[in-house]
Amino acid sequence: MTTALVAAVTVVAALLTLAGLASTAARRRIGLVHLALAGVLEALLVAQAVLALVRLAGDRELPETATFLGYLAGALLLPVAGVLFARGETTRWAGTVLAVPAAAVSVMVWRLLQLWEAGRG
Amino acid sequence: MAEPAGGGPRPAEGLGRVLVAVYAVFALAAGARAAVQLSTRFSEAPVAYLLSALAAVVYVVATVGLARGGRAGRRTALVACAVELTGVLVVGVLSLADRAAFPDETVWSGFGQGYGYVPLVLPVLGLLYLRAQGRPPRATA
């Protein structure tokens, strides 16, 4: 868990949110750009989760481990669920359907960082 | 928008699916929060944490109702949205008036300010959407 990684996640998640809203505004369905951004976002989240779990298995101690793990798992789930749900949508609203979980991820990672920095070790 | 012939459930699509997505995110957020609160420190604030759990259940029910659509789905979602709106208003007032009863945040504390007031707006959008969906299809002569 580093600020740089969280910032990177936020940027990609924000781009995905904008791409989703843009496709709705343009009355188009989601395309390769959305899938690629969602893929990059998920890869960053997996990297973040692996780093955090390795440190937690080591000497890192958090005051609220359960809450942290909840946010970590939730953030991992959202882009995947968003893509699956948006791909089933045949109207221009598919992009907005994907933008919702992307925006949620961009908020959740900062809460994750907050929980992480409250820890020691 | 017309129901398919036979009046079976028509799953949410278009703007309805966006609403379902937002509800699903809140079902996840409230559910995870309630699970953590109930399992790790239930005795600290039982009322607040039980309300957290109730909020989570309401979001799940609303998500499923909206996603399934049809008469039954809409009616389920209508009840869930009504409970949700009542909950966010009552808990919002109580959490401001009696801080001691709500030492920890719930999704509905302070009218959902911890979640950008989305919990306050969401049930209203849900009810508006359900009203639009419930209108009989335009008569085409």
Side-chain angles (χ1 to χ4, degrees):
Chain A
M1 288 299 302
T2 61
T3 308
L5 194 50
V6 167
V9 169
T10 309
V11 169
V12 176
L15 286 175
L16 181 54
T17 307
L18 290 176
L21 294 177
S23 68
T24 295
R27 296 171 179 268
R28 298 177 66 161
R29 294 179 61 184
I30 56 170
L32 210 53
V33 176
H34 302 87
L35 296 183
L37 282 171
V40 173
L41 179 61
E42 186 67 16
L44 286 172
L45 290 171
V46 169
Q48 173 183 261
V50 170
L51 283 175
L53 290 177
V54 167
R55 293 285 305 280
L56 279 177
D59 56 358
R60 183 80 181 185
E61 286 194 12
L62 300 180
E64 294 190 62
T65 311
T67 309
F68 180 82
L69 292 177
Y71 272 95
L72 200 63
L76 278 175
L77 189 71
L78 280 176
V80 178
V83 166
L84 292 178
F85 201 43
R87 280 178 66 104
E89 174 60 49
T90 54
T91 70
R92 63 190 170 117
W93 292 103
T96 308
V97 168
L98 191 51
V100 168
V105 166
S106 67
V107 175
M108 284 170 75
V109 283
W110 289 97
R111 177 79 182 122
L112 261 178
L113 186 65
Q114 211 176 31
L115 290 165
W116 182 259
E117 290 185 335
R120 282 179 301 116
Chain B
M1 283 194 270
E3 294 267 340
R10 188 173 51 77
E13 57 184 22
L15 198 51
R17 201 177 269 243
V18 176
L19 199 56
V20 173
V22 180
Y23 263 101
V25 167
F26 270 88
L28 178 72
R33 169 165 245 164
V36 168
Q37 290 174 334
L38 289 178
S39 61
T40 61
R41 44 178 190 271
F42 175 65
S43 55
E44 282 176 30
V47 175
Y49 294 160
L50 283 176
L51 274 170
S52 250
L54 173 71
V57 171
V58 168
Y59 283 120
V60 171
V61 171
T63 306
V64 173
L66 286 169
R68 283 180 58 86
R71 276 182 72 86
R74 279 203 306 274
R75 196 171 299 148
T76 311
L78 184 68
V79 174
C81 286
V83 173
E84 184 192 345
L85 186 58
T86 312
V88 72
L89 291 176
V90 171
V91 173
V93 169
L94 286 180
S95 63
L96 293 182
D98 183 9
R99 290 226 166 262
F102 295 89
D104 205 359
E105 291 279 298
T106 71
V107 183
W108 290 339
S109 295
F111 302 105
Q113 65 183 152
Y115 293 82
Y117 294 104
V118 176
L120 184 60
V121 180
L122 202 48
V124 177
L125 293 180
L127 290 171
L128 288 175
Y129 171 77
L130 287 167
R131 199 180 66 163
Q133 287 287 295
R135 287 215 185 95
R138 269 179 302 164
T140 45

